[in-house]
Amino acid sequence: METCLAAGCNAALSSTPPTVFAHLIQAILASQCALGGGGGIYPADRTEEILSSRREFDFVIAGAGTAGSILAKRLTEVEDWNVLLIEAGEDPSPESDIPGIMILMFGGNEDYVYEVEPQEGSCQGMKNKRCRWSKGKALGGSSVINAMIHVFGNDRDYNEWANLGNSGWSYEEVLPYFRKSLSCSPELQAKLGKFCGANGPMKIRDYSSNVTDIQNIILDGARELGFESLNSDRFTGFWKTPGTIDNKQRMNVAKAFLSPVKDRKNLYVMKSSRVDKILLNDKKATGVRVTLKNGQSIDIKASKEVILSAGSIASPQLMMLSGIGPKKHLDEMGIPTVVDLPVGKNLQDHLTWLGLRISYSNESSTPPLPTDLLDNMYDYLLHNRGVFTILPVDLLGFVDVNDPTSRYPNIQFHFLTISRWNALLGYAFTTAFNVDSDQELQKQIMENDLIIPMAVLLKPKSRGRVELRSTNPAESVKIYTNYFAEEEDMETLFKSVDTLKSLVNTETFKKHGMRLDHVDIPDCRETKQDSKEYWECNARHLSTSLFHAAGTARMGLVDDEKAVVDPRLRVHGIKGLRVIDASIMPSIVSGNTNAATIMIAEKGADMVKMDWFIKVHEEL
């Protein structure tokens, strides 16, 4: 216990808390130091050792997020390979481990907090009319701040990739890599079947064996409409999602993949270090330029490969800063073009609609007591139970709003429940998504219990782009979302209202007095309530990102004018450079992207091993 307090708690107590909850956690940590495993569970920072003795590695990985953490584990399985993993953030904070305060992680110290460029017709209800894009800044990346939801997409998603010429990426060919990463509970193995492994590093579990009354109501109403529970062969329906959790704590990717191998001698980690540029020599990646925490800039060589795993925003930024990208844009920035590729284009995201509300009177609701917050946190830290063990949005629905008989969804619902008087959760919700002002929500919370069925557009037709703002690596890029650029996206999202109306009209919902509300949005008051014009106005004001950026380094054949990397994730026209993260998706998957990104990293790691072992064999 003393070691735990010294190594883990003191570090937490000295950190800058991103939320009010962090103050509370730090006040009680002396009694329970279980969060984050106590201290020292992540690989040590070896920057000083690197500076004094080593400047060349076999592989250099830029970004220790979901993909980078997995690559570091898998590549260091080859004992002769020295692997450097570079991360701009630090170890995940203790408070990030608590499922129940997930929504408060957005906008904190472990979040890059990007803001997209203002665009007419979208994000109109957000501060400065700019949607916020969150991205994790820590070992484990966005798996440290995300909703921990683990869903896989469907067979059509991956077969579509293969049909574009990406050999090896069909549904049947990627399934083994989903299984490889996972350790499913027996209950989930029965439910998820072919997706589940039993011996992988990443543990996924149900959030709670108990289903709440409100969740039962939603599930019963969905069954009235003919929706069943999802499984490995059924991609539409309603269910309680599994999550990347274990023992009621978040299982971020760094904890799952890096912690067990933190003492490997061939694993080198640099923290609080920013990769600024890929070093190139005659169209071959030879290393990276890095800015350290103290501002010092150093060059590090890679004898075999540089691998970009910085995500769909930073990976294209790094390539463009290094002269790999659209020639026209690079010319505008004064950067000599090494290879002309559509880097930063094909940007896709899951747009989510926050302006849908179902209210009802819950006679059992009681006003919170001033001590509830402290009591609940005490219950969690000391007894590993209570409201903080539960994710606020662990009930999901997947539907095709155009064809109810389809096997494939185009809308996903995240059902967030806010009990009456829980103004803190309402405030956290609007703050997390950068909503300008939602006094209407606070008013609703004080009068009724609420369900916010966040409708998510799964397969957007619109495409955005990422561009450099300047040649300064420390400056964030410009993100053009182009939400609703294609009218079909608005039409599909709009039809989610019909699904909710059908749900509200079920006998189950009627019995509990549930009703679909119309949010009072000042700019929409000229429209007729419940008209198409009202719902479109609502969507243009209260739709935002679900933080699932993908596609900006699209995978495809060399003759695919939209492609940046080949099916083995090697950058076209550049030797010794790969991109292995969500940016390689030709089209975004039909669900939360973290599971697919884990799969991409597992498959990418095997490709690297296979390619280099083949080369070694040929040389012999």
Side-chain angles (χ1 to χ4, degrees):
M1 182 65 169
E2 291 178 0
T3 302
C4 178
L5 288 174
C9 299
N10 289 343
L13 287 166
S14 64
S15 65
T16 303
T19 72
V20 67
F21 281 90
H23 291 287
L24 183 58
I25 294 168
Q26 291 163 1
I28 311 174
L29 267 175
S31 300
Q32 173 59 278
C33 201
L35 294 180
I41 71 163
Y42 296 104
D45 189 330
R46 299 178 70 175
T47 300
E48 291 302 321
E49 179 184 348
I50 293 166
L51 290 175
S52 62
S53 62
R54 177 181 287 276
R55 293 290 182 90
E56 182 171 327
F57 298 85
D58 294 287
F59 296 89
V60 173
I61 303 169
T66 293
S69 294
I70 294 168
L71 287 166
K73 171 184 168 58
R74 295 306 187 190
L75 296 186
T76 54
E77 290 170 353
V78 182
E79 294 182 2
D80 292 338
W81 286 351
N82 289 305
V83 178
L84 173 61
L85 181 64
I86 306 172
E87 170 55 38
E90 283 285 343
D91 293 347
S93 63
E95 55 265 30
S96 71
D97 280 350
I98 305 176
I101 64 170
M102 172 276 301
I103 201 167
L104 294 172
M105 298 306 299
F106 298 126
N109 292 341
E110 291 158 289
D111 185 352
Y112 277 96
V113 196
Y114 293 107
E115 283 191 333
V116 307
E117 297 302 295
Q119 290 183 245
E120 187 176 350
S122 66
C123 304
Q124 297 300 291
M126 308 303 153
K127 292 177 182 176
N128 301 316
K129 296 186 178 181
R130 302 176 73 174
C131 284
R132 171 191 288 169
W133 277 25
S134 286
K135 173 193 169 186
K137 186 180 181 182
L139 290 184
S142 292
S143 74
V144 174
I145 66 172
N146 69 6
M148 297 161 277
I149 291 170
H150 203 80
V151 295
F152 303 92
N154 56 59
D155 56 1
R156 186 169 67 176
D157 291 332
Y158 306 104
N159 289 337
E160 181 182 348
W161 297 3
N163 291 338
L164 291 170
N166 295 302
S167 176
W169 291 90
S170 70
Y171 179 65
E172 291 299 327
E173 289 169 305
V174 301
L175 275 177
Y177 290 102
F178 280 112
R179 289 194 291 268
K180 181 178 182 179
S181 64
L182 294 183
S183 173
C184 298
S185 65
E187 296 80 11
L188 284 177
Q189 289 184 37
K191 189 188 303 182
L192 296 175
K194 65 182 74 174
F195 284 106
C196 262
N199 301 308
M202 175 60 76
K203 295 181 180 179
I204 64 169
R205 303 286 185 264
D206 284 319
Y207 280 96
S208 173
S209 57
N210 299 320
V211 181
T212 66
D213 290 342
I214 187 58
Q215 289 173 335
N216 269 325
I217 292 170
I218 296 171
L219 292 169
D220 288 345
R223 279 189 284 268
E224 272 194 63
L225 296 177
F227 291 108
E228 300 181 61
S229 180
L230 275 73
N231 58 34
S232 59
D233 295 308
R234 186 184 301 117
F235 305 120
T236 58
F238 286 63
W239 72 333
K240 284 259 294 178
T241 181
T244 50
I245 58 169
D246 184 46
N247 193 31
K248 308 293 178 64
Q249 291 185 17
R250 178 192 294 271
M251 176 62 70
N252 70 63
V253 174
K255 187 189 296 185
F257 285 82
L258 291 181
S259 293
V261 301
K262 66 184 180 67
D263 295 322
R264 278 183 182 166
K265 289 182 169 37
N266 61 339
L267 171 61
Y268 294 80
V269 178
M270 296 176 68
K271 304 174 189 178
S272 294
S273 300
R274 185 186 68 239
V275 179
D276 290 343
K277 187 178 182 180
I278 305 158
L279 302 178
L280 299 170
N281 182 14
D282 194 23
K283 295 187 178 181
K284 182 182 188 306
T286 59
V288 295
R289 181 159 296 155
V290 182
T291 296
L292 306 180
K293 187 175 184 179
N294 63 5
Q296 179 184 359
S297 179
I298 63 170
D299 289 351
I300 297 177
K301 292 184 178 180
S303 61
K304 288 184 168 61
E305 290 188 20
V306 172
I307 302 175
L308 303 184
S309 296
S312 294
I313 299 171
S315 284
Q317 181 183 20
L318 271 172
M319 282 189 279
M320 288 187 284
L321 286 170
S322 308
I324 304 167
K327 185 178 187 308
K328 181 181 178 182
H329 178 53
L330 296 182
D331 287 345
E332 293 169 349
M333 303 306 297
I335 300 173
T337 301
V338 179
V339 179
D340 183 7
L341 289 173
V343 172
K345 299 185 179 182
N346 192 49
L347 174 63
Q348 298 155 69
D349 181 35
H350 284 146
L351 183 74
T352 185
W353 190 1
L354 313 180
L356 302 169
R357 314 271 167 84
I358 296 172
S359 64
Y360 60 103
S361 298
N362 185 350
E363 299 300 329
S364 63
S365 290
T366 57
L369 297 173
T371 57
D372 282 353
L373 186 63
L374 182 61
D375 290 343
N376 288 331
M377 188 57 73
Y378 180 89
D379 220 21
Y380 179 80
L381 290 174
L382 273 296
H383 303 292
N384 204 23
R385 67 190 182 196
V387 298
F388 288 119
T389 67
I390 301 169
L391 182 73
V393 286
D394 63 340
L395 184 65
L396 304 181
F398 290 85
V399 302
D400 185 326
V401 295
N402 296 319
D403 179 9
T405 66
S406 173
R407 292 181 66 234
Y408 302 106
N410 53 17
I411 290 291
Q412 176 185 9
F413 290 105
H414 289 249
F415 290 94
L416 172 68
T417 58
I418 304 179
S419 59
R420 187 181 180 189
W421 294 298
N422 193 349
L424 181 60
L425 180 55
Y427 175 77
F429 173 74
T430 55
T431 301
F433 289 103
N434 208 37
V435 177
D436 188 13
S437 175
D438 201 343
Q439 295 179 354
E440 177 80 1
L441 177 62
Q442 296 300 329
K443 178 183 175 185
Q444 288 176 303
I445 291 172
M446 300 313 291
E447 295 174 352
N448 293 291
D449 280 34
L450 283 182
I451 303 169
I452 301 182
M454 300 162 58
V456 180
L457 185 66
L458 289 177
K459 302 296 285 185
K461 302 296 182 183
S462 303
R463 295 291 185 268
R465 69 187 187 278
V466 170
E467 292 183 348
L468 296 177
R469 190 177 303 276
S470 76
T471 57
N472 181 358
E475 192 165 3
S476 64
V477 296
K478 293 181 178 180
I479 302 170
Y480 296 94
T481 65
N482 287 345
Y483 292 143
F484 302 126
E486 298 292 335
E487 184 62 29
E488 185 178 338
D489 288 346
M490 177 61 79
E491 293 293 328
T492 301
L493 192 64
F494 175 73
K495 288 179 182 177
S496 64
V497 177
D498 294 333
T499 301
L500 293 176
K501 286 180 178 178
S502 297
L503 196 59
V504 169
N505 285 327
T506 60
E507 291 303 315
T508 301
F509 273 58
K510 286 180 180 178
K511 182 170 61 178
H512 292 89
M514 295 183 169
R515 57 193 178 275
L516 183 63
D517 288 344
H518 297 83
V519 182
D520 180 19
I521 302 170
D523 288 348
C524 302
R525 287 172 181 165
E526 297 295 321
T527 61
K528 183 180 178 182
Q529 194 175 82
D530 202 33
S531 64
K532 182 177 181 179
E533 291 73 21
Y534 165 77
W535 289 115
E536 180 174 336
C537 182
N538 181 317
R540 292 191 184 280
H541 279 76
L542 291 177
S543 289
T544 187
S545 175
L546 202 60
F547 317 137
H548 291 170
T552 50
R554 173 184 164 120
M555 175 173 59
L557 300 179
V558 69
D559 59 356
D560 180 352
E561 62 181 16
K562 298 179 180 179
V564 174
V565 301
D566 70 14
R568 300 194 74 77
L569 309 185
R570 299 169 297 199
V571 175
H572 288 301
I574 299 289
K575 295 180 180 179
L577 180 63
R578 293 191 208 231
V579 182
I580 304 179
D581 57 31
S583 67
I584 66 94
M585 295 185 189
S587 56
I588 197 167
V589 296
S590 302
N592 305 64
T593 52
N594 196 57
T597 304
I598 291 173
M599 176 275 292
I600 289 168
E602 290 278 24
K603 186 171 176 63
D606 267 10
M607 286 177 166
V608 172
K609 289 179 177 179
M610 189 180 302
D611 287 352
W612 280 98
F613 283 132
I614 288 174
K615 287 182 180 180
V616 169
H617 178 71
E618 289 175 347
E619 289 170 0
L620 293 174

